[in-house]
């Protein structure tokens, strides 16, 4: 008997483990995977590249429909391109990270990206895990399962610093500064929670999972169990 497709929304603040959890759960359950933060980062990269002042909401709004953003949804090898250019690496840089909350707060940007997200989810015949900030509240309010991941700022900063330090090759790297990383995470959370249009928020019917004291494997197991309870078995 074919498995029933399932749509899973995973939201939460920065660095709570959304991407790591979503990719692993999707791979284990035979689902597609969509990183919506990567889409906002991609449009931000394009704005910066085009010389648009990202603090000028009118200029950002006027350009919102110009770039073509394509997301590959294989959880083992997710991809993101803008006008055919692979931007997977540059969208993770400091410049984009520092600008993305301003761009994602512009309603015309959100309308454009939300439409894209809904069409990708609708095409995923086998089901999909979609992660972001407003998936359960706005993008896919009828998702079969909604998870809201949290973790203390200290834990998130320590995890992110370890990741950045590893990526840059040693403790001397800027990513090793846990205090600065914590401040940057909290600044981005405040901007994402405080915007008028579709802010970062927990849907009323979402299950909250505090990952502060959990290993990544435990969080993955928790989400897989919740999906199985809705009748979907791993492949
Ligand atoms: N439960 C966990 N235990 C330990 N480390 C974890 C856990 N969950 C995630 N991590 C690590 O924390 C870091 C941040 O995780 P991840 O990128 O998945 O978070 P995120 O919520 O998607 O972040 P962002 O919103 O900024 O994209 C990664 O290095 C990841 O390996
Ligand atoms: N559904 C979403 C997802 C993301 N954003 C914005 O993108 C930024 C980057 O997200 P990451 O998950 O890659 O860190 C995030 O800070 C938000 O500004 C969003 O608005 N809605």
């Amino acid at each position: 008997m074919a498995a029933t497709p399932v749509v899973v929304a995973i939201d939460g603040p920065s660095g709570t483990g959304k991407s790591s959890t979503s990719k692993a759960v999707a791979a284990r359950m035979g689902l597609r995977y969509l990183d919506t933060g990567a889409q906002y980062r991609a449009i931000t990269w394009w704005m910066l590249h085009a010389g648009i002042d990202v603090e000028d909401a009118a200029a950002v709004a006027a350009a919102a429909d110009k770039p073509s953003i394509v997301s590959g949804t294989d959880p083992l090898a997710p991809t993101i391109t803008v006008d055919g250019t692979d931007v997977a690496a540059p969208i993770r840089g400091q410049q984009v990270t520092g600008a993305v909350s301003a761009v994602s707060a512009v309603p015309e940007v959100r309308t454009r990206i939300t439409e894209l997200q809904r069409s990708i989810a609708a095409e995923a015949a086998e089901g999909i895990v979609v992660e972001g900030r407003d998936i359960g509240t706005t993008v896919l309010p009828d998702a079969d399962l909604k998870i809201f991941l949290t973790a203390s700022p200290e834990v998130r900063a320590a995890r992110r610093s370890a990741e950045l330090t590893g990526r840059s090759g040693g403790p001397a790297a800027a990513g090793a500064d846990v205090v600065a990383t914590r401040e940057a995470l909290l600044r981005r959370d405040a901007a994402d929670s405080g915007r008028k249009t579709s802010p970062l928020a927990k849907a009323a019917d979402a299950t909250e999972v505090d990952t502060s004291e959990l290993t990544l494997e435990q969080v993955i197991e928790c989400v897989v169990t919740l999906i199985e309870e809705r009748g979907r078995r791993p492949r």
Side-chain angles (χ1 to χ4, degrees):
M1 195 175 71
T4 317
V6 67
V7 174
V8 181
I10 301 192
D11 291 301
S14 301
T16 48
K18 299 181 299 297
S19 300
S20 320
T21 304
S22 301
K23 265 187 276 194
V25 167
R28 203 174 291 184
M29 306 292 291
L31 305 172
R32 307 307 291 182
Y33 159 70
L34 179 61
D35 177 355
T36 64
Q39 297 175 316
Y40 285 104
R41 286 173 180 273
I43 197 165
T44 301
W45 176 89
W46 182 89
M47 297 274 171
L48 292 167
H49 209 65
I52 292 166
D53 175 3
V54 297
E55 299 299 331
D56 180 347
V60 169
D65 63 352
K66 293 208 166 97
S68 163
I69 295 167
V70 177
S71 298
T73 59
D74 178 348
L76 298 176
T79 57
I80 180 100
T81 63
V82 180
D83 295 336
T85 300
D86 177 358
V87 293
I91 63 169
R92 303 293 162 192
Q94 285 296 321
Q95 209 195 358
V96 170
T97 300
V100 65
S101 291
V103 173
S104 71
V106 175
E108 288 79 359
V109 169
R110 299 209 73 80
T111 301
R112 165 95 204 280
I113 300 290
T114 298
E115 277 169 11
L116 186 59
Q117 292 160 356
R118 287 182 178 148
S119 72
I120 292 169
E123 279 166 19
E126 59 277 79
I128 190 164
V129 182
V130 183
E131 56 119 334
R133 303 292 191 290
D134 63 337
I135 310 307
T137 52
T138 302
V139 179
L140 301 169
D142 297 328
D144 300 294
L145 175 65
K146 300 179 187 178
I147 306 283
F148 194 80
L149 294 184
T150 63
S152 73
E154 290 69 29
V155 165
R156 292 191 277 142
R159 288 176 184 165
R160 185 45 51 83
S161 287
E163 177 190 333
L164 293 173
T165 303
R167 204 190 283 165
S168 340
D177 186 342
V178 184
V179 175
T181 302
R182 179 181 179 280
E183 296 313 308
L185 283 173
L186 292 178
R187 246 193 330 272
R188 196 144 60 92
D189 288 351
D192 292 341
S193 307
R195 69 177 172 237
K196 284 210 182 82
T197 310
S198 203
L200 158 67
K202 176 176 176 276
D205 52 350
T207 302
E208 183 164 332
V209 179
D210 183 345
T211 73
S212 304
E213 305 288 328
L214 301 177
T215 64
L216 179 55
E217 188 50 38
Q218 286 172 323
V219 182
I220 294 163
E221 272 302 321
C222 170
V223 177
V224 165
T225 301
L226 289 167
I227 296 174
E228 287 175 350
E229 283 172 6
R230 280 152 181 80
R232 176 70 190 240
R233 317 296 309 174
R235 276 208 296 202

